[in-house]
Amino acid sequence: MTINADPQELAKFGELAHRWWDTESEFKPLHQINPLRLAWIDGLCPLAGLRALDVGCGGGILADSMARKGAQVLGIDLSTKPLKVAQLHAMEAGTEGVDYREVAIEALAAEQPASFDVVTCMEMLEHVPDPASVVQACATLVKPGGWVFMSTLNRNLKSFMLAIVGAEYVLKMLPAGTHEYARFIKPSELAQYCRDAGLDLHSSKGLTFNPLTQHYALGTDTDVNYLIALRKPA
């Protein structure tokens, strides 16, 4: 079975792993948007007491915060160094209820179908060769009646200008080369992957950044970053 991952992408995030929890590093945007994402997820699906899976967890920013909301969290990734950083951070911060594993989502889906109340997959689909396969695996892993939350980048001229030219080259918020425009995913394409996987769309949000105030906000503008909430029919 071929692993649904790009070795260059894994290496890229591996090289930066030691900076994952530095809130002024390349990962500053993740630290800034995490409270917004967490509040949105927890508002739709209160996390306390639930079993949650964070796919493509990296250094564990979202996984750690979901555990702090009272969920039992498993974070998975295929990049070794960020996972070690995530484990170390959980130990240092004393975060309970979070575990990490280096495993492909498709392999975990074969091993533990219908095991999780909540599955999150944030800022990861645009980094893999076959995003539809990831969506299908998320659908397999979530329990009937459970929730799946995803976020990714829209593919249009505005997102190219803001997410790549603006964020990577002008404002230097992200390292140049973080994103590849051809891998951005239109909401209509992601919706099709989700329908094919048997997931029902519940709601969506757009994520916007104001360079003047340096603040992110969730709203209705899905032109660049967007998040979707899905449910698996009970």
Side-chain angles (χ1 to χ4, degrees):
M1 178 177 142
T2 43
I3 295 285
N4 183 18
D6 182 332
Q8 287 177 301
E9 294 287 301
L10 297 180
K12 190 161 66 187
F13 289 104
E15 289 306 305
L16 297 167
H18 61 289
R19 299 170 65 86
W20 213 285
W21 284 91
D22 175 356
T23 55
E24 293 303 316
S25 74
E26 297 88 340
F27 298 103
K28 181 179 180 178
L30 283 183
H31 288 281
Q32 289 177 300
I33 65 178
N34 193 58
L36 296 173
R37 299 193 301 196
L38 181 68
W40 179 64
I41 293 166
D42 195 48
L44 288 171
C45 165
L47 289 162
L50 299 185
R51 189 160 185 233
L53 173 69
D54 186 27
V55 181
C57 64
I61 295 170
L62 179 61
D64 197 273
S65 64
M66 289 198 294
R68 291 180 176 274
K69 283 282 184 188
Q72 283 289 323
V73 183
L74 174 63
I76 65 168
D77 207 293
L78 287 172
S79 192
T80 310
K81 288 178 186 171
L83 278 178
K84 289 198 163 69
V85 169
Q87 287 165 330
L88 189 64
H89 181 269
M91 279 168 51
E92 289 177 349
T95 308
E96 294 180 5
V98 63
D99 284 309
Y100 296 100
R101 266 184 75 184
E102 188 174 330
V103 60
I105 183 171
E106 292 88 352
L108 190 69
E111 180 193 306
Q112 298 187 38
S115 295
F116 296 91
D117 302 294
V118 186
V119 176
T120 59
C121 182
M122 301 294 190
E123 311 296 323
M124 180 246 190
L125 292 172
E126 70 274 18
H127 296 287
V128 297
D130 186 357
S133 171
V134 173
V135 174
Q136 179 61 61
C138 288
T140 301
L141 283 154
V142 74
K143 295 175 183 175
W147 289 82
V148 177
F149 296 93
M150 296 178 173
S151 70
T152 191
L153 284 151
N154 202 339
R155 190 174 72 254
N156 54 48
L157 182 61
K158 181 175 168 183
S159 71
F160 175 76
M161 294 307 296
L162 292 180
I164 295 184
V165 178
E168 296 182 20
Y169 293 92
V170 180
L171 299 174
K172 300 205 182 320
M173 293 159 59
L174 298 167
T178 296
H179 291 111
E180 195 181 321
Y181 177 70
R183 286 187 167 171
F184 288 7
I185 303 167
K186 292 184 177 183
S188 57
E189 294 166 346
L190 184 52
Q192 186 63 56
Y193 298 156
C194 294
R195 281 194 297 273
D196 291 346
L199 294 170
D200 295 334
L201 181 65
H202 176 275
S203 53
S204 63
K205 285 277 183 196
L207 178 72
T208 53
F209 176 70
N210 183 327
L212 297 177
T213 62
Q214 296 283 305
H215 277 102
Y216 289 87
L218 288 183
T220 55
D221 180 354
T222 57
D223 288 351
V224 184
N225 287 76
Y226 65 98
L227 304 89
I228 59 169
L230 306 138
R231 298 205 72 170
K232 184 171 178 174

